[in-house]
Amino acid sequence: MRLLLMGPPGAGKGTQAKVLAARLGVPAISTGDIFRANVAEETDLGVIAKRYMDAGEYVPDEVTNDMVRERLAKDDAHDGFLLDGYPRTVDQVKTLDEMLAEQQHPLERVLVLEVDRDELVGRLLKRAEVEGRTDDTEEVVRRRQEVYAEETAPLIEIYHQRDLVVSVEGTGEVDEVTERVLTALSSRDNAG
Ligand code: ADP
């Protein structure tokens, strides 16, 4: 299964990505996690990424695209993957299309987690207390929501036009959301 997981910052993508990937038997590939690992190890990529992440801005497309290209070329991603947090721009959509065309494996589903705006900001501020992510301050959280609305929300329409979107309500307990997603995916599969 080749799946994208989309939704605004705070929708629970990271949490669901790990659980869903395990249930579906594919690797969860999170660009946010890869960037954070690079920041922690102070690699060249991490040094670049940190500047953007701490401001709530997107890391430039060339940097992100190269990183994802490398990751998708690994063996474990050959038979499927769940991409969390990529693509986020029109340029990234095009690049992903090219990568998948080379592999001759089309995208199968785009899962959109829907959560309303007030709940999102509350969740992120709470996460800031628990995890201490440097991009979870109130100002940066608001900027991330804006960037999402401007750059990433429009991508959902692109995937709607390709008839790939499955939307799921992301509020409630983690387990409930997971079951909701798996049910939505299988009923979509049965419907063709
Ligand atoms: P969230 O979805 O909660 O904002 P992520 O962990 O997915 O958090 O991403 C954290 C940060 O990493 C983003 O704010 C951005 O700076 C960077 N990032 C992650 N994925 C991408 C991407 N596809 N393109 C550009 N920047 C990205």
Side-chain angles (χ1 to χ4, degrees), residues 5-156:
L5 187 54
M6 295 185 64
K13 295 187 299 293
T15 307
Q16 290 299 330
K18 290 186 185 76
V19 187
L20 287 168
R23 294 279 292 264
L24 297 167
V26 293
I29 300 177
S30 155
T31 45
D33 283 352
I34 301 175
F35 283 135
R36 274 186 291 280
N38 277 276
V39 171
E41 288 164 25
E42 298 180 10
T43 65
D44 292 346
L45 174 64
V47 172
I48 298 172
K50 185 172 169 45
R51 287 208 301 269
Y52 296 94
M53 294 170 80
D54 283 353
E57 305 295 336
Y58 287 165
V59 177
D61 284 331
E62 319 84 78
V63 176
T64 307
N65 286 332
D66 286 351
M67 179 181 88
V68 173
R69 189 184 296 281
E70 244 175 66
R71 180 62 188 88
L72 288 185
K74 298 207 169 138
D75 285 348
D76 67 333
H78 190 262
D79 295 327
F81 50 76
L82 192 164
L83 266 176
D84 158 24
Y86 180 92
R88 292 199 200 208
T89 65
V90 173
D91 186 80
Q92 292 178 15
V93 170
K94 287 191 194 137
T95 304
L96 179 62
D97 285 343
E98 286 163 16
M99 291 190 263
L100 295 179
E102 279 164 26
Q103 296 188 351
Q104 296 184 318
H105 286 134
L107 208 55
E108 285 154 89
R109 291 285 176 262
V110 176
L111 190 68
V112 178
L113 277 184
E114 296 182 331
V115 175
D116 72 49
R117 219 184 157 101
D118 291 342
E119 163 114 16
L120 291 174
V121 176
R123 283 188 188 185
L124 289 168
L125 295 176
K126 194 165 161 217
R127 183 171 78 188
E129 287 171 24
V130 180
E131 293 181 15
R133 259 175 61 166
T134 50
D135 60 348
D136 277 343
T137 64
E138 184 153 6
E139 194 193 336
V140 175
V141 163
R142 291 201 189 283
R143 180 62 194 147
R144 278 160 55 209
Q145 300 292 345
E146 277 172 20
V147 174
Y148 176 83
E150 284 164 22
E151 304 242 14
T152 305
L155 306 188
I156 296 171

